[in-house]
Structures are given as C-alpha cells and as structure tokens.
Amino acid sequence: MSDPAIILDSLEKWFPPALSGWRAYLQPFAPPTSPALRSISLEVRQGEAVALLGANGAGKTTLLRILATLLLPTRGTASLAGNDTQREPAAVRRQIGYHAGSDLGFYPRLTGRQNLCFFGRLNHLSDEFSAKRIESLGDRFGLRGALDRQARTLSSGTIQRLSLIRALLHQPKVLLLDEPTRSLDAIAAADFRHFLKTEVLARKDTSLLFASHTMQEIELLADRVAILDEGKLLAFDTPAALRARTLSSSLEEAFAQITGRRPCSAAESTPE
C-alpha cells in the first residue's frame, strides 16, 4: 500500500492576540494565546480528494497555509508527499499546487501569460512545456482572450481562474485549493468542478485537499470530509457516513448537528 500523500500529526497553530495602537509594535513578541488549530491528526491517501468543511475561522485556511509552507506550526508535524513541511519546505513546494482564497499574488503590469510563464520557471518548467500547458489550460478554462492582457485589467473571476491554472500548471502530486470556485460565475464553477472530477482526480495520481462552503461541490468532489470547528477536528469520514451517523438527509444537516450550528432557516422558524 502506498504512503499517504498528506500526514498531520497533532498539528497545532496559535497566534498572538490582535493588538492596536502602539501595542501593535509589541505583537511579534507577544506570547501566542489565540488557537487556530488544536491537535489536528489526519491522513489523505494518494489519489484521494478530501474537503475541509467549517465555519469562517474554523482553521481551514491556516491548515492549508501550513501545508503550503507559508506558516510554521506551533506544535505537531505536517508532511506532504513524504517531506516534512518544516525540515524540507523546498521539497514540499515542488510537490504542491496551491491556490489561495485571496491575495493571489499576480504582478499587475504583466499579462496573464507572462505571469504564468514566470511561475512556470519558478517550478523549473521549460519555456516550451509552459507555453503548451498555458495554451491548453487557457483554452480549457476559456481564458484565451485574457491571457495577453495585463493582470490589473482582469476581473476578479478571471484572476481566480488564472490562479487555478497556476496551481495546475506543473502537474503537481498534491493540490491545495482554498475555496477554488469563489468569485467564479455558476457556469465557470461547474466547469471547473467537472474538470477536477474527470481530468485530474479520475487519474488517481493527484491528491486534493480543498476548503469549501459549497455543499454541492463537496458532495461531487470529496471522497471524505474533515469537519473543523474552532480549530478542532470533529469528524472525518465520507459524506454518506456523516449523514448516516447523524441520521441526516443532507450534508448540510449533518454538519449542523456535528458542530451544533443550526442553519439560519431553522433558527428563523423557531417560535419565540
């Protein structure tokens, strides 16, 4: 049996308290007292798609940023494709395709194509391979007309698709996607989900860990779902098993029961 693509062992992340005014200058030296992740342990198998599901502030983005080597954990370990994120960050970065939910990091005066070529070189791709891959993915995501425009002139949805192409450009072993269809219109979002399902995950040689608030997206893509709440891992199982465990008819209802967070519709219908 092959080794897991991602291993988290008692992973924790604590941040210093948010300070304002002159006290903000002391923040780098303040002891970390605000927990973002609390003793998270899980494994993602090779070729598996796992969704991170949780309310805002549950720790999903922090977890993805640790795996992308952008943050150091406070305690515990994280390894990806057999490489420890703290001891071997360069090796980890060679294995991943990372899409951030915000702060997408494109150079505004470069065109979309120039940005992608630049990131291709950072991933040690030849100019010839990058050019072919950019053309292929650009056509696939309907960006042929936008690739040669400056990034600063592109809409937020187009920049989002450009970031997704960057994550896929070098055919990584592990994809880390933070709300991948945010800012995409309904058709573009459905098209990207179909691409992931049929052209990336179907080959079973790429693992996917993604954060999403869209239940339809999770049901379509995820083999298993990790439910986070206030930095804690409350459940980790298949969507069907989570529904069965909570006697729920939908993943949304199962999530509400596991976390104790009632859907707004249920709260509104409660008599006073």
Side-chain angles (χ1 to χ4, degrees):
M1 187 174 180
S2 57
D3 294 332
I6 297 172
I7 301 175
L8 307 180
D9 185 10
S10 303
L11 193 70
E12 296 195 10
K13 181 62 181 179
W14 294 65
F15 290 101
L19 302 174
S20 59
W22 65 267
R23 292 180 179 84
Y25 292 103
L26 302 177
Q27 186 163 1
F29 310 101
T33 57
S34 179
L37 295 173
R38 307 187 194 204
S39 196
I40 303 293
S41 296
L42 61 82
E43 294 184 358
V44 178
R45 297 185 285 263
Q46 289 194 28
E48 184 180 28
V50 170
L52 299 174
L53 177 60
N56 292 332
K60 304 182 299 296
T61 295
T62 299
L63 177 52
L64 290 172
R65 287 174 64 84
I66 288 174
L67 287 170
T69 73
L70 299 175
L71 285 176
L72 293 174
T74 305
R75 282 184 288 274
T77 60
S79 65
L80 192 147
N83 303 115
D84 187 275
T85 57
Q86 294 185 78
R87 297 196 302 268
E88 305 161 292
V92 169
R93 288 192 287 270
R94 285 193 291 269
Q95 306 294 330
I96 64 171
Y98 175 62
H99 165 79
S102 59
D103 186 23
L104 301 178
F106 289 107
Y107 294 94
R109 293 184 181 275
L110 295 182
T111 66
R113 190 186 305 275
Q114 288 169 335
N115 269 287
L116 292 174
C117 285
F118 170 72
F119 288 108
R121 288 185 176 183
L122 290 182
N123 282 293
H124 308 288
L125 303 182
S126 69
D127 290 345
E128 181 181 3
F129 179 87
S130 286
K132 290 180 179 178
R133 187 84 171 134
I134 290 167
E135 200 68 27
S136 172
L137 291 172
D139 285 345
R140 183 64 183 78
F141 293 132
L143 288 183
R144 178 180 283 273
L147 285 175
D148 295 310
R149 292 168 50 193
Q150 287 185 330
R152 62 179 177 173
T153 69
L154 302 176
S155 68
S156 59
T158 301
I159 288 290
Q160 187 86 344
R161 282 183 284 170
L162 205 63
S163 177
L164 292 169
I165 289 177
R166 178 179 59 189
L168 294 160
L169 190 62
H170 53 297
Q171 300 174 314
K173 290 184 179 179
V174 178
L175 274 173
L176 305 173
L177 306 180
D178 195 353
E179 296 186 45
T181 56
R182 183 170 67 174
S183 298
L184 298 185
D185 61 62
I187 294 175
D191 186 54
F192 180 70
R193 293 182 195 119
H194 179 74
F195 171 81
L196 277 180
K197 185 76 172 178
T198 62
E199 299 184 40
V200 177
L201 297 175
R203 297 197 307 265
K204 295 297 182 182
D205 57 2
T206 300
S207 303
L208 170 64
L209 181 63
F210 70 103
S212 179
H213 293 290
T214 307
M215 298 298 175
Q216 176 191 9
E217 185 168 274
I218 293 172
E219 292 268 19
L220 176 67
L221 296 175
D223 298 308
R224 290 190 291 170
V225 181
I227 294 181
L228 301 177
D229 191 57
E230 297 182 347
K232 298 178 182 178
L233 180 63
L234 301 187
F236 186 36
D237 214 329
T238 66
L242 292 173
R243 290 193 299 270
R245 164 183 164 182
T246 56
L247 302 178
S248 302
S249 59
S250 68
L251 183 58
E252 182 178 7
E253 185 181 342
F255 170 75
Q257 290 202 39
I258 291 170
T259 60
R261 298 175 182 270
R262 289 186 303 169
C264 292
S265 57
E268 290 168 358
S269 64
T270 304
E272 294 183 0

